[in-house]
């Protein structure tokens, strides 16, 4: 069942009217007219979303997550667990897979589908062992010459005391370092939220892609607002100021490509979103796989050094 966001209430009202007419059994023609009207309004609304509204879309509970992309895009996925140091963090999942016949290593944040799984995956907020698992998988990929694909969807790294005690900052720094030093292609996609160092640790890539209604920022709008204005009520202002949307980041040169979503967002059409993402990934890997290890490292270094001059 579709969950409507606050700014989608006019669409919800039309959908309910159409459903009521169909239930009555005598208003199919009028219901079809309402469906068409709702689709037009949906397109108009999504064509002019504010940064705060895009943030809400990026967090939509029905938006496709890591498990959907693995099931719909990759073949022969073989998950690999554990960091060989402490444990197996469930917020970051990864393993061997094939994309269009090409062997790859895919790593991503898992948010979960319902209350139970969201708690198990800690809402996509990884602890140090999650980032150390990612490091281990990237090292395996480098050893066997496999391109790495990362799917980023996290509000940020887990901020708990236990994570800090086990070296959260160090783990994030080393994961970022590993992204930059491996000699195989690395393509990162922000598929939902790209929050803080928890996102950068998997997104320091040769190519950084974003789904159209994803967000990527150093802090959440609520966190920014609480620091600057001592309250969450200014979160929409913070979202506007931080330039965290895909169009803004593309213009600033922080990302390489925007992958456009179906009308109404990825949560309304998983299959088409996954198809578009697959097309973009295959295109990027086709270009990157022709480069040598040294060229790939130089490519990453050049891109991220330029960010300092923005």
């Amino acid at each position: 069942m579709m969950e409507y966001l606050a700014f989608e209430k006019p669409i919800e009202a039309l959908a309910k009217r159409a459903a009521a007419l169909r239930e009555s059994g005598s208003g199919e023609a009028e219901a079809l007219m309402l469906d068409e009207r709702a689709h037009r309004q949906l397109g108009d609304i999504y064509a002019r979303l504010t940064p705060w509204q895009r943030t809400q879309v990026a967090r939509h509970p029905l938006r496709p997550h890591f498990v959907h992309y693995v099931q719909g895009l990759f073949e022969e996925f073989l998950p690999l667990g554990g960091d060989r140091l402490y444990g197996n963090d469930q917020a970051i999942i990864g393993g061997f897979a094939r994309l269009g016949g090409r062997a790859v290593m895919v790593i991503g944040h898992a948010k979960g589908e319902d209350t139970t799984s969201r708690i198990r995956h800690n809402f996509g907020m990884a602890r140090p062992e999650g980032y150390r698992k990612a490091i281990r998988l990237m090292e395996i990929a480098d050893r066997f010459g496999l391109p790495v694909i990362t799917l980023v969807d996290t509000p940020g790294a887990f901020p708990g005391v236990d994570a800090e005690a086990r070296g959260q900052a160090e783990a994030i720094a080393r994961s970022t370092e590993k992204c930059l030093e491996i000699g195989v292609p690395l393509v990162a996609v922000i598929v939902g939220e790209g929050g803080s160092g928890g996102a950068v640790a998997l997104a320091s890539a040769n190519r950084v892609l974003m789904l159209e209604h994803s967000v990527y920022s150093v802090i959440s709008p609520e966190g920014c607002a609480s620091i600057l204005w001592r309250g969450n009520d200014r979160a929409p202002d913070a979202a506007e100021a931080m330039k965290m949307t895909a169009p803004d980041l593309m213009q600033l040169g922080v990302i390489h490509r925007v992958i456009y979503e179906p009308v109404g967002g990825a949560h309304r059409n998983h299959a088409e979103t996954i198809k578009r993402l697959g097309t973009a990934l295959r295109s990027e890997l086709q270009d990157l796989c022709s480069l040598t290890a040294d060229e790939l490292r130089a490519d990453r270094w050049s891109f991220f050094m330029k960010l300092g001059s923005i």
Side-chain angles (χ1 to χ4, degrees), residues 198-250:
V200 173
L202 296 185
S204 299
N206 293 100
R207 299 292 181 270
V208 183
L209 285 54
M210 281 184 73
L211 290 186
E212 180 184 5
H213 301 308
S214 296
V215 292
Y216 190 25
S217 62
V218 70
I219 191 173
S220 69
E222 297 92 335
C224 179
S226 67
I227 292 171
L228 295 181
W229 298 294
R230 301 293 188 268
N232 290 345
D233 57 321
R234 298 286 297 275
D237 296 327
E240 180 74 38
M242 287 195 295
K243 305 298 182 186
M244 60 193 294
T245 68
D248 284 333
L249 294 171
M250 186 70 188

Side-chain angles (χ1 to χ4, degrees), residues 18-35:
L21 286 168
R22 288 191 171 94
E23 287 179 7
S24 70
S26 60
E28 181 62 26
E30 187 176 352
L32 287 172
M33 291 177 61
L34 289 172
D35 289 342

Side-chain angles (χ1 to χ4, degrees), residues 266-280:
H267 57 281
R268 283 189 164 83
N269 193 333
H270 284 202
E272 181 61 25
T273 302
I274 291 169
K275 178 182 177 182
R276 295 181 186 186
L277 176 58
T279 299

Side-chain angles (χ1 to χ4, degrees), residues 150-310:
T150 61
L151 304 177
V152 177
D153 189 10
T154 178
F158 183 62
V161 174
D162 62 327
E164 296 297 339
R166 295 200 298 275
Q168 183 77 291
E170 183 266 354
I172 290 173
R174 289 196 179 276
S175 184
T176 306
E177 179 184 42
K178 185 58 64 177
C179 286
L180 294 171
E181 72 178 19
I182 58 176
V184 293
L186 173 53
V187 180
V189 188
I190 315 299
V191 296
E193 292 183 271
S196 192
V200 173
L202 296 185
S204 299
N206 293 100
R207 299 292 181 270
V208 183
L209 285 54
M210 281 184 73
L211 290 186
E212 180 184 5
H213 301 308
S214 296
V215 292
Y216 190 25
S217 62
V218 70
I219 191 173
S220 69
E222 297 92 335
C224 179
S226 67
I227 292 171
L228 295 181
W229 298 294
R230 301 293 188 268
N232 290 345
D233 57 321
R234 298 286 297 275
D237 296 327
E240 180 74 38
M242 287 195 295
K243 305 298 182 186
M244 60 193 294
T245 68
D248 284 333
L249 294 171
M250 186 70 188
Q251 184 175 7
L252 289 170
V254 175
I255 64 173
H256 296 85
R257 181 192 287 204
V258 177
I259 303 170
Y260 291 97
E261 300 182 22
V263 175
H267 57 281
R268 283 189 164 83
N269 193 333
H270 284 202
E272 181 61 25
T273 302
I274 291 169
K275 178 182 177 182
R276 295 181 186 186
L277 176 58
T279 299
L281 286 174
R282 285 188 286 269
S283 173
E284 297 295 350
L285 288 178
Q286 184 67 32
D287 293 339
L288 292 171
C289 285
S290 64
L291 302 179
T292 67
D294 287 341
E295 288 172 335
L296 289 165
R297 296 187 188 98
D299 176 73
R300 286 183 218 117
W301 178 266
S302 173
F303 175 70
F304 285 102
M305 287 299 290
K306 287 178 183 177
L307 296 183
S309 63
I310 293 178

